[in-house]
Amino acid sequence: MGLFKDEKTNRIILQPWKRDALEKFEAKILDKQKPFPCIPATQGYSLNHLRYGFVGDPRKISSIQELASLLTEFNQASKELGKYTSLIIFFETPMEWIRSYKVEQFEQLFWDLLNGLSDMDPFDWPSHIPKDPHNSLWEFCFHKEPYFMYCATPSHARRKSRYFPYFMLAVTPRWVLEEFNATPTLANKIRSQIRKRLENYDSVPAHPNLNSYGHEDNYEWKQYFLHDDDTSLSKCPFHSIKGPDPNDALKH
């Protein structure tokens, strides 16, 4: 199965776990009593700009291949899907993981997937994006397209904004975020509303790593996977880099 456009009449063709994942996602996005913090995501859902993909057991190489195929398809179609588009990926999550996996184990799995995905990328790293994750302008790229990666897991308890019953990714193209920021006054107003929603949604304060792309003290990789507390990794686990970095010449 390729990209899935969620229309309720289509759900009957899905396996039970896939249908369950979609229904739980819909419930999370449409919850009126406890609104989901990311307002652009709720707009993307209501406007049907979102697309969905289903991937098997994330431990398998075949699942990374499935993920690469979905992201390739999304890359080719995204600019026609609307300005709030994202690709939502649900993984078939083993029940023993849901019962016993810790946040840190899902974190390792997340970075294994990103490294594996990059290994399958036939294109070189874009020349305008630094290859060092500890550079404030770095972000994950695939098929020359920069993306913001969001991960949610069944193990997050206090940070409900990063909880989902299945291991899940939301992949948002950089151009979507640039369009959002194109009107600074409106963007700042929405950001303020998102922060207020976040305070009501999570039982812990906003993670200190939340920041804005391009700020000198910002590191995108630290926002991809947030811990359930305020801690974070000291070093980015991403290591798949292709070819020489043209920016290296500027350092000498």
Side-chain angles (χ1 to χ4, degrees):
M1 174 183 285
L3 296 184
F4 185 82
K5 182 179 180 180
D6 184 27
E7 294 171 343
K8 291 183 180 179
T9 53
N10 289 340
R11 293 187 189 180
I12 57 172
I13 69 172
L14 296 175
Q15 294 172 263
W17 80 265
K18 296 177 180 178
R19 190 162 57 248
D20 183 59
L22 267 179
E23 289 171 354
K24 284 182 165 61
F25 181 80
E26 178 183 55
K28 191 176 184 76
I29 289 290
L30 296 181
D31 191 339
K32 300 297 183 187
Q33 293 185 324
K34 207 164 187 180
F36 187 66
C38 185
I39 294 169
T42 62
Q43 290 173 311
Y45 180 86
S46 64
L47 293 168
N48 210 11
H49 290 182
L50 304 182
R51 290 298 179 269
Y52 307 87
F54 304 94
V55 177
D57 187 329
R59 293 170 293 190
K60 297 179 179 178
I61 294 294
S62 60
S63 294
I64 300 178
Q65 292 168 337
E66 291 172 31
L67 181 58
S69 177
L70 287 167
L71 193 48
T72 297
E73 188 179 347
F74 180 70
N75 180 287
Q76 294 166 349
S78 65
K79 287 185 170 64
E80 310 300 322
L81 300 177
K83 66 178 184 178
Y84 294 107
T85 192
S86 288
L87 173 60
I88 312 299
I89 302 285
F90 304 111
F91 289 87
E92 190 170 12
T93 311
M95 185 55 67
E96 66 265 24
W97 290 12
I98 295 171
R99 293 195 188 105
S100 64
Y101 250 42
K102 295 180 179 179
V103 168
E104 291 75 16
Q105 290 171 288
F106 278 113
E107 181 177 36
Q108 181 63 55
L109 181 64
F110 168 75
W111 287 108
D112 287 347
L113 284 168
L114 258 58
N115 279 311
L117 195 57
S118 190
D119 287 341
M120 291 184 182
D121 189 353
F123 295 98
D124 289 337
W125 198 257
S127 60
H128 65 289
I129 302 294
K131 292 183 176 180
D132 180 4
H134 299 270
N135 185 308
S136 62
L137 295 177
W138 179 91
E139 53 191 328
F140 179 76
C141 299
F142 187 80
H143 275 232
K144 299 185 178 181
E145 185 74 47
Y147 290 103
F148 183 85
M149 310 295 288
Y150 161 101
C151 187
T153 83
S155 296
H156 281 81
R158 290 176 290 183
R159 206 172 295 285
K160 289 292 186 184
S161 55
R162 294 294 177 125
Y163 167 81
F164 194 70
Y166 295 83
F167 185 53
M168 187 195 102
L169 302 181
V171 185
T172 304
R174 172 54 51 189
W175 67 262
V176 169
L177 302 172
E178 288 175 348
E179 188 151 341
F180 170 77
N181 288 310
T183 309
T185 303
L186 179 60
N188 288 334
K189 183 178 179 182
I190 294 174
R191 275 196 208 93
S192 177
Q193 293 173 335
I194 290 171
R195 283 289 178 139
K196 287 178 182 177
R197 284 191 181 194
L198 202 58
E199 288 175 14
N200 295 326
Y201 205 81
D202 293 346
S203 60
V204 290
H207 199 288
N209 286 339
L210 290 179
N211 206 329
S212 297
Y213 181 70
H215 289 190
E216 286 188 12
D217 60 344
N218 173 70
Y219 300 102
E220 289 292 281
W221 69 270
K222 289 193 172 187
Q223 301 181 70
Y224 290 175
F225 192 105
L226 297 180
H227 289 177
D228 221 17
D229 54 23
D230 285 353
T231 64
S232 61
L233 297 175
S234 60
K235 184 178 180 182
C236 181
F238 185 75
H239 57 71
S240 295
I241 295 299
K242 294 173 178 285
D245 188 345
N247 295 318
D248 284 345
L250 303 177
K251 300 173 185 175
H252 300 291

